[in-house]
Amino acid sequence: GAALSRARELTNLRDALEGFGFPQQIHFEAGDLKGNRWVSQGIGLAKRLRRSFHSPVEQAANLAALIETDLGIDVAIQPLGQLDGLAAATGAARLILAATSVAPTRQRFTLAHELGHLAASDDQQLHTDENVYARDGEGEMRANAFAAELLMPEAALADRIHRGSRWFEELTWELRVSPTVLAHRLGNLKLIDEAERDRLLTVDMDHVVATLGRQQDYAARVAEASQPRIPTLLVRDLLAAHRQGHTTLLPVASLMGISTDDLRAQLTKPEGE
């Protein structure tokens, strides 16, 4: 209930902003599903949408920020209880809401998965995902195939197989995905055989972190994924609407979780103080 309420709050703000002359600037086209298999549709959507990004998605340290800046989609992160995330598409708004998490790789996959739902125009309105790794339903299979192709493109994998004794751990770390997801991806692409896939499925993130000596860096990733995030583009447009007299500071303050007095004080505070 809290997740759906938050999603409606954010999309309602977008609807209001459109009425004030501040429409959301979406930089990709949804739909255009090709192929008669859900998995191939997801792969095709990911390959097409990849061209809308200004830098390689698989190298992005902050996927939420990249989705916002390059695609124009509002991205929020907050505790969502049992939900991994949801996607919302109304007439004026495109939104991804993902859960805070102590598993950064799961949150990253959730962001890509929900983007897949938006790219496919699934459900319109609200689409919720309790478990993004579930394979129940054709739309979920398509969104998972989309996320796998977006985060682990075949071209980024093929020339890294068996290069060094720690190639799998290094690839897992660099792509910011879980060892399990990467092992399945490599197996599905036939880049490794079934026996090696089964062996790699026994590898967990603790092993990857310990093997690479990345304990401190991984702790930083966990800390970042555990923090709530408000959509920066939405805040920008609300402040612009306020400056033109279309709205008060109340919706911005509510979005940021502070009082209007505190927000006004911060906005009027001289530089350097």
Side-chain angles (χ1 to χ4, degrees):
L4 296 176
S5 176
R6 182 62 162 176
R8 292 190 182 97
E9 175 191 358
L10 297 176
T11 54
N12 286 342
L13 287 173
R14 270 293 168 208
D15 289 336
L17 283 168
E18 184 177 49
F20 298 147
F22 295 89
Q24 189 173 17
Q25 302 295 323
I26 301 298
H27 306 305
F28 76 98
E29 294 182 4
D32 191 23
L33 301 177
K34 296 181 179 180
N36 57 6
R37 296 178 61 247
W38 300 98
V39 169
S40 63
Q41 288 179 1
I43 293 172
L45 282 173
K47 288 181 176 179
R48 184 165 63 88
L49 188 136
R50 177 178 293 279
R51 296 194 291 268
S52 298
F53 286 99
H54 299 147
S55 58
V57 181
E58 67 275 12
Q59 296 178 14
N62 190 329
L63 184 57
L66 186 69
I67 291 172
E68 272 201 343
T69 56
D70 286 10
L71 303 183
I73 296 170
D74 290 325
V75 181
I77 296 174
Q78 67 176 60
L80 296 180
Q82 297 301 312
L83 290 180
D84 277 333
L86 62 81
T90 68
R94 298 294 181 272
L95 166 72
I96 292 173
L97 182 57
T100 52
S101 178
V102 295
T105 59
R106 189 181 188 97
Q107 184 185 86
R108 185 178 179 86
F109 194 88
T110 296
L111 291 168
H113 178 99
E114 301 304 340
L115 180 58
H117 283 307
L118 292 180
S121 297
D122 284 339
D123 292 354
Q124 298 302 306
Q125 300 307 314
L126 291 172
H127 184 102
T128 60
D129 284 298
E130 183 171 344
N131 178 1
V132 292
Y133 292 132
R135 298 172 62 89
D136 299 334
E138 292 86 351
E140 299 309 312
M141 292 175 62
R142 179 170 58 205
N144 278 343
F146 174 95
E149 175 64 33
L150 193 71
L151 300 178
M152 299 168 285
E154 184 172 3
L157 305 178
D159 64 347
R160 296 290 302 276
I161 307 302
H162 302 140
R163 290 205 173 184
S165 60
R166 306 187 304 179
W167 70 269
F168 182 73
E169 290 82 0
E170 291 170 351
L171 194 55
T172 299
W173 179 260
E174 290 173 18
L175 295 180
R176 297 170 180 260
V177 296
S178 75
T180 300
V181 166
L182 180 58
H184 278 300
R185 174 67 169 161
L186 293 171
N188 291 339
L189 291 173
K190 308 300 183 185
L191 294 174
I192 57 176
D193 60 29
E194 189 172 325
E196 186 167 18
R197 182 205 63 189
D198 290 344
R199 181 183 67 80
L200 294 178
L201 284 174
T202 66
V203 176
D204 59 22
M205 201 64 201
D206 287 341
H207 169 81
V208 171
V209 172
T211 298
L212 300 180
R214 291 283 194 168
Q215 290 86 347
Q216 185 171 344
D217 294 331
Y218 187 66
R221 290 186 181 183
V222 172
E224 182 179 8
S226 302
Q227 293 300 310
R229 181 186 195 277
I230 59 176
T232 56
L233 295 180
L234 185 58
V235 171
R236 179 201 66 187
D237 292 345
L238 284 169
L239 288 173
H242 168 70
R243 285 192 292 269
Q244 293 190 14
H246 296 298
T247 183
T248 68
L249 284 176
L250 180 60
V252 185
S254 177
L255 190 62
M256 299 178 68
I258 62 177
S259 70
T260 53
D261 289 341
D262 286 344
L263 177 58
R264 186 175 292 106
Q266 291 182 31
L267 291 174
T268 57
K269 188 175 182 179
E271 291 288 337
E273 291 189 10

